[in-house]
């Protein structure tokens, strides 16, 4: 069972043409994958579809055999909170919180235990302690 399976996936903005031609691919657990394309080619849209932030115009996304595109919004939010993380080009942290507090907040919103010591250790490993 692949970690992620994308089948015949595409999106439309408004009533316009498809953002990209239908895509199908799988990603196995531990596999590294690069999404490369020119500005405006649909990379962020693809990530939003995979994470369930957007619903596709056609096709399906399965995470560990669970059909993300068939889940309701609350279930997609829960799945994303537990299993999806983005490292974006722009910083999307809450400015009034420390990096540690941003990590703790993300865990709380995902329904996970706070794990302050583990978060501090991770930040120290990354040189952000």
């Amino acid at each position: 069972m692949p970690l992620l399976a994308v089948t015949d996936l595409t999106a439309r903005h408004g009533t316009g043409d498809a953002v990209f031609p239908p895509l199908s691919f799988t990603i196995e657990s531990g596999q590294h994958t690069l999404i490369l394309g020119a500005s405006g080619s649909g990379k962020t849209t693809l990530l939003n579809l995979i994470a369930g932030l957007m619903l596709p115009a056609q096709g399906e996304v399965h995470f560990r055999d669970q059909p993300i595109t068939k889940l309701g919004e609350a279930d997609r939010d829960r799945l994303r909170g537990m299993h999806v993380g983005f490292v974006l080009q722009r910083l999307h942290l809450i400015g009034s919180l420390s990096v540690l507090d941003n990590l703790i907040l993300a865990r709380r919103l995902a329904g996970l235990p706070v794990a302050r010591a583990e978060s501090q250790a991770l930040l120290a490993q990354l040189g952000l302690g």
Side-chain angles (χ1 to χ4, degrees):
M1 158 183 59
L3 178 67
L4 181 73
V6 171
T7 307
D8 204 25
L9 188 71
T10 194
R12 287 186 171 70
H13 292 302
T15 58
D17 293 333
V19 176
F20 45 76
L23 298 174
S24 295
F25 59 89
T26 59
I27 299 175
E28 301 296 332
S29 183
Q31 178 182 343
H32 292 238
T33 303
L34 172 69
I35 300 172
L36 184 65
S39 179
S41 64
K43 301 178 298 293
T44 300
T45 299
L46 176 59
L47 290 173
N48 287 333
L49 290 166
I50 290 171
L53 290 166
M54 290 176 62
L55 292 175
Q58 74 176 47
E60 294 186 3
V61 176
H62 288 234
F63 175 77
R64 294 183 177 157
D65 275 348
Q66 187 169 20
I68 294 174
T69 48
K70 304 281 190 228
L71 297 176
E73 187 173 351
D75 288 331
R76 289 194 317 270
D77 287 347
R78 246 185 311 285
L79 182 114
R80 189 172 40 258
M82 295 293 293
H83 300 289
V84 177
F86 284 117
V87 178
L88 301 169
Q89 292 174 337
R90 292 189 192 130
L91 188 60
H92 290 282
L93 300 176
I94 298 173
S96 61
L97 298 178
S98 68
V99 175
L100 175 62
D101 288 336
N102 270 278
L103 287 177
I104 289 169
L105 177 61
R107 291 186 61 85
R108 274 200 184 134
L109 293 174
L112 299 171
V114 169
R116 180 175 288 275
E118 291 87 347
S119 296
Q120 287 172 319
L122 175 62
L123 290 174
Q125 275 184 314
L126 296 171
L128 300 173

